[in-house]
Amino acid sequence: MSTDEDYYAYLSAVSKEDYNYDFFPRFSKIFLTFMYSFACIFGVSGNTLVLIVFIFHEKVKTVTDIFLVSLATADLCFLGTLPFWAYSAAHEWIFGTLACQVIRGFYTLNLYGSMLTLTCVTIERYFAVVQATKVHVSQSKRTIWGKAICIFLWIVSLAFALPQFMYSTQAKYDKIICHANYSTLHMEQAIEITQMSLGFFCPMLVMLFCYFTIINTLLKAKGFNKHKSVKIVFAIVMTFICTQAPYNLLKLIRVVDRHVLLSWYYEYALIVTEAIAYFHSCLNPVLYFFIGVKFRKNLKKIVKKIGCARYREMAKQWQTTEDEGSKTCTASNNAEETSLHPL
């Protein structure tokens, strides 16, 4: 990851007096291993539940549903890379250069897929609330457009991830790590600035504009009950901004001023904000449950159906046991009657 790359590449330039040489590697190892593992377990469970509810119960009826399914899929794929980073943080990278390219590329692909999908969710809510009287498109056409936009988003995300697929490699410092090795510093700066600008800061500005306009529209409207679905999307977007902004700002500072890499304060801040940034993939299912009334109702229905199915299975087994017992009892009674009352 970027943290390991910066730490091991620039460690030789930092004196032990200026840097907590012994404590930082231990802190990084324990903290990142725990955070990656927790985020993976918690996030995979939650996002899998989201997909089950949306696909098998709600049947993905609206454009927002399509985007939210795409978001949960991106989160799952992103979380699938964390076990590799957890092992690398605890020990070292043992999976080779090809795996390094694939996993770093896959990680970046789904990270930007999540960002751009959230942006589209926000824009869709903007048209649904602010431009509701001006836009008249049938639900079927909206669904087709939603699917086409999702495909386009994944293509754009793949374009963002191409440098990671191309330039990621395995390297040996104090231990083996997986990092992006660009040919020049200017190339690295150009790629990172482009990715952060088009993949984070521009989408964030679009989200903020859309939601300020949506809130202004709702404040003027009479019935807020019609727009309860906005609450969950708003919470998801704000959570995304709060978790992603600190890490991306620190990355931007690193691109502008490389001297910050000599500060152990910056290294600690980068590690902590990076771990917080990864938690956005875990928090979306929590927001679905606590804010989305429709989601909670459908989840309860699924749990109830599972419970009813188990109850019916147990009842069937009990009935079979009772029937067998009844047959045994009847046969025994008939035998007693035969012996007591011979013909």
Side-chain angles (χ1 to χ4, degrees):
M1 304 296 287
S2 58
T3 303
D4 289 336
E5 174 193 351
D6 298 331
Y7 171 64
Y8 287 105
Y10 293 92
L11 186 60
S12 59
V14 184
S15 64
K16 293 184 180 181
E17 290 78 18
D18 297 331
Y19 199 92
N20 195 331
Y21 186 83
D22 294 326
F23 181 73
F24 180 78
R26 285 186 280 117
F27 169 80
S28 175
K29 176 179 179 180
I30 296 172
F31 179 76
L32 288 179
T33 302
F34 171 77
M35 295 296 282
Y36 290 161
S37 302
F38 181 80
C40 182
I41 295 171
F42 187 68
V44 168
S45 302
N47 283 287
T48 301
L49 191 60
V50 169
L51 287 180
I52 290 173
V53 171
F54 272 104
I55 295 176
F56 295 103
H57 193 81
E58 295 189 10
K59 305 299 182 183
V60 191
K61 300 174 183 177
T62 66
V63 178
T64 302
D65 291 344
I66 293 172
F67 288 142
L68 293 179
V69 167
S70 177
L71 178 63
T73 303
D75 286 342
L76 274 175
C77 294
F78 167 77
L79 291 164
T81 66
L82 293 187
F84 296 94
W85 300 122
Y87 185 90
S88 179
H91 304 285
E92 64 179 0
W93 187 264
I94 62 169
F95 308 104
T97 296
L98 179 61
C100 175
Q101 293 173 330
V102 172
I103 292 171
R104 278 186 66 91
F106 210 55
Y107 152 79
T108 307
L109 168 67
N110 292 283
L111 181 64
Y112 286 107
S114 296
M115 295 181 185
L116 297 177
T117 301
L118 278 174
T119 307
C120 285
V121 171
T122 307
I123 294 172
E124 195 278 329
R125 288 294 85 195
Y126 170 83
F127 281 109
V129 176
V130 179
Q131 305 290 334
T133 58
K134 299 179 183 179
V135 180
H136 300 284
V137 182
S138 65
Q139 185 62 47
S140 59
K141 289 184 178 180
R142 286 165 61 87
T143 303
I144 293 173
W145 273 104
K147 293 178 181 178
I149 291 171
C150 276
I151 294 173
F152 175 74
L153 292 181
W154 284 106
I155 294 174
V156 173
S157 300
L158 179 61
F160 280 131
L162 278 179
Q164 304 300 325
F165 284 110
M166 295 171 60
Y167 295 105
S168 294
T169 185
Q170 179 177 287
K172 175 72 173 180
Y173 292 100
D174 288 352
K175 67 177 185 178
I176 301 175
I177 64 168
C178 169
H179 70 104
N181 184 22
Y182 300 103
S183 56
T184 64
L185 178 61
H186 292 296
M187 177 185 287
E188 179 183 357
Q189 291 175 332
I191 290 174
E192 289 201 3
I193 290 174
T194 302
Q195 287 181 337
M196 284 186 287
S197 299
L198 299 180
F200 175 74
F201 289 107
C202 288
M204 183 180 68
L205 292 176
V206 172
M207 292 179 194
L208 291 175
F209 168 77
C210 289
Y211 268 103
F212 277 128
T213 309
I214 289 172
I215 291 172
N216 186 49
T217 302
L218 292 179
L219 290 174
K220 296 177 181 178
K222 294 181 180 179
F224 286 90
N225 291 333
K226 297 178 182 179
H227 307 289
K228 282 186 176 180
S229 62
V230 175
K231 292 167 59 180
I232 181 172
V233 182
F234 177 73
I236 290 173
V237 171
M238 292 309 298
T239 301
F240 170 78
I241 292 174
C242 292
T243 55
Q244 294 293 314
Y247 178 55
N248 280 274
L249 286 172
L250 288 177
K251 286 175 64 179
L252 183 62
I253 293 172
R254 181 185 65 193
V255 171
V256 175
D257 182 13
R258 305 295 287 185
H259 291 91
V260 297
L261 293 165
L262 303 179
S263 169
W264 65 271
Y265 291 106
Y266 176 84
E267 292 292 344
Y268 279 110
L270 191 65
I271 284 181
V272 173
T273 54
E274 182 184 31
I276 293 173
Y278 293 165
F279 262 87
H280 83 275
S281 299
C282 308
L283 295 176
N284 288 343
V286 178
L287 295 172
Y288 289 134
F289 183 80
F290 286 105
I291 300 176
V293 177
K294 183 180 177 182
F295 180 81
R296 284 203 305 271
K297 288 181 179 178
N298 289 329
L299 180 59
K300 288 179 181 178
K301 288 179 182 178
I302 291 175
V303 173
K304 187 176 180 180
K305 284 182 180 179
I306 294 174
C308 289
R310 288 182 178 179
Y311 175 78
R312 285 195 295 268
E313 183 66 26
M314 292 175 64
K316 186 177 180 181
Q317 292 177 356
W318 291 340
Q319 184 65 37
T320 303
T321 304
E322 289 177 358
D323 289 343
E324 290 176 353
S326 176
K327 289 178 182 178
T328 304
C329 184
T330 304
S332 126
N333 288 337
N334 289 339
E336 289 179 359
E337 290 177 1
T338 303
S339 60
L340 291 173
H341 305 283
L343 293 175

